[in-house]
């Protein structure tokens, strides 16, 4: 719901949290597990495209939303931000009486994990509001109960993700890396994109999974070893590129197994990617499950130029410049 005027979360005592979008520099997807999720071997990066989330004491749990796509989002249990407040309240043994306000700037259903970002922000914000004393690692463990991408958005930076994406380990990275995020009209539902990948693989029109199946994570443990193989590790070339400060090196290592599935569902994305490369991007790739597309630029000026060109050529609805890595959900002073 859209709301104007003074918000409960503007009151003294309210906690404001800034939370970034995520992109995947590498997204290797295995065959579906018995629980329906796909095992992932991914490298996440948090980028400077932010939602702002306010939390304040209230007589009951309430959610208001403004900004991008506000009118299309549920404000009840279906919203992950509401479930995040309930989950933390339950674990802390407090009543979930909080007014949450989301100011949305991250495009919806775009492969940038905007909904997961809001849930991460609510965990961090309510932990501060309620004096929960949970560490970031404890909040990340709790976040795994909400969604595959939520733990990373608690941690931020650059990180290796395994399991179904919820097991995250920080990875050292130089930077800033300069990105253009080309946003398409309308979203793509993540489950549909994963299903499409399975269909393409069954038909032999997408490469078979390189990643072996992994068992569900041990309770409180780290990623289990891949069955019949070794635990997924960040490829040496990607690790070296991340340390190198050379965008051309990083460009050569970017990959996304979901890209053929997103393009099969939205063939116009091919034009966006081609236009990005023609405009001088070092690499162009679908972001996560899409339909947002990413261009890696040589520097900030190049990113601004590529974004302007993509907008001029009308191959996307909007093009944002962003840099990464940035911190995960952070309480604002
Ligand atoms: O974990 P999250 O709720 O974000 O996942 C949304 C959906 O995306 C899942 O229900 C599933 O269909 C798909 N998914 C998957 N494998 C993953 C992550 C997500 O199949 N590793």
């Amino acid at each position: 719901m859209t709301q104007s005027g003074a918000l409960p979360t503007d009151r003294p005592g309210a906690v404001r949290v800034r939370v970034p979008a995520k992109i995947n520099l590498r997204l290797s997807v295995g065959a579906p597990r018995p629980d329906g999720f796909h095992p992932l071997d991914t490298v996440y990066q948090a980028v400077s495209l932010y939602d702002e989330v306010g939390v304040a004491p209230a007589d009951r749990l309430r959610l208001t939303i403004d900004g991008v796509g506000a009118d299309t989002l549920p404000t009840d249990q279906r919203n992950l931000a509401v479930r995040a407040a309930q989950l933390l309240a339950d674990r802390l043994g407090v009543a979930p009486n909080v007014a949450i306000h989301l100011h949305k700037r991250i495009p919806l259903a775009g492969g940038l994990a905007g909904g997961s970002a809001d849930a991460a922000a609510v965990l961090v914000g309510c932990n501060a509001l309620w004096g929960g004393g949970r560490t970031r690692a404890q909040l990340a463990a709790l976040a795994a109960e909400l969604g595959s991408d939520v733990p990373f958005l608690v941690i931020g930076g650059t990180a290796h993700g395994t399991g179904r994406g919820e097991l995250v380990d920080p990875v050292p990275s130089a930077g800033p890396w300069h990105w253009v995020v080309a946003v398409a009209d309308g979203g793509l539902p993540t489950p549909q994109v994963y299903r499409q990948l399975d269909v393409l693989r069954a038909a032999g029109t997408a490469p078979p999974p390189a990643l072996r199946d992994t068992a569900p994570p041990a309770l409180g443990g780290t990623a289990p070893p891949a069955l019949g193989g070794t635990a997924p590790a960040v490829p040496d070339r990607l690790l070296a590129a991340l340390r190198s400060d050379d965008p051309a090196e990083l460009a050569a290592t970017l990959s996304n197994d979901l890209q053929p599935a997103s393009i099969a569902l939205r063939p116009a994305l091919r034009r966006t990617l081609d236009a990005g490369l023609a405009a001088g991007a070092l690499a162009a790739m679908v972001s996560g499950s899409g339909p947002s597309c990413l261009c890696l630029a040589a520097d900030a000026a190049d990113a601004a130029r590529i974004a302007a060109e993509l907008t001029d050529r009308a191959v996307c609805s909007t093009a944002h410049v962003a840099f990464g890595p940035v911190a995960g959900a952070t309480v604002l002073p």
Side-chain angles (χ1 to χ4, degrees), residues 36-38 40 146-149 164-165 190-191 194:
F37 283 91
H38 294 69
L40 300 187
L146 294 165
S148 310
D149 293 333
R164 62 176 217 279
T190 306
Y194 276 99

Side-chain angles (χ1 to χ4, degrees), residues 25-65:
L25 309 182
R26 161 187 168 79
L27 182 50
S28 179
V29 180
R33 311 190 305 200
D35 65 3
F37 283 91
H38 294 69
L40 300 187
D41 178 6
T42 189
V43 174
Y44 294 108
Q45 183 162 96
V47 296
S48 62
L49 203 58
Y50 299 102
D51 278 357
E52 213 172 284
V53 176
V55 293
D59 52 353
R60 63 188 170 84
L61 205 171
R62 278 183 278 150
L63 173 63
T64 52
I65 310 175

Side-chain angles (χ1 to χ4, degrees), residues 135-162:
T135 63
R136 212 158 265 270
Q138 287 170 328
L139 292 177
L142 203 56
E145 297 182 33
L146 294 165
S148 310
D149 293 333
V150 188
F152 171 66
L153 290 155
V154 171
I155 304 279
T158 304
H160 185 208
T162 51

Side-chain angles (χ1 to χ4, degrees), residues 45 173-178 242-245 324-325:
Q45 183 162 96
S173 172
W177 308 102
H178 296 280
L242 283 169
R243 285 200 209 93
S244 74
D245 221 2

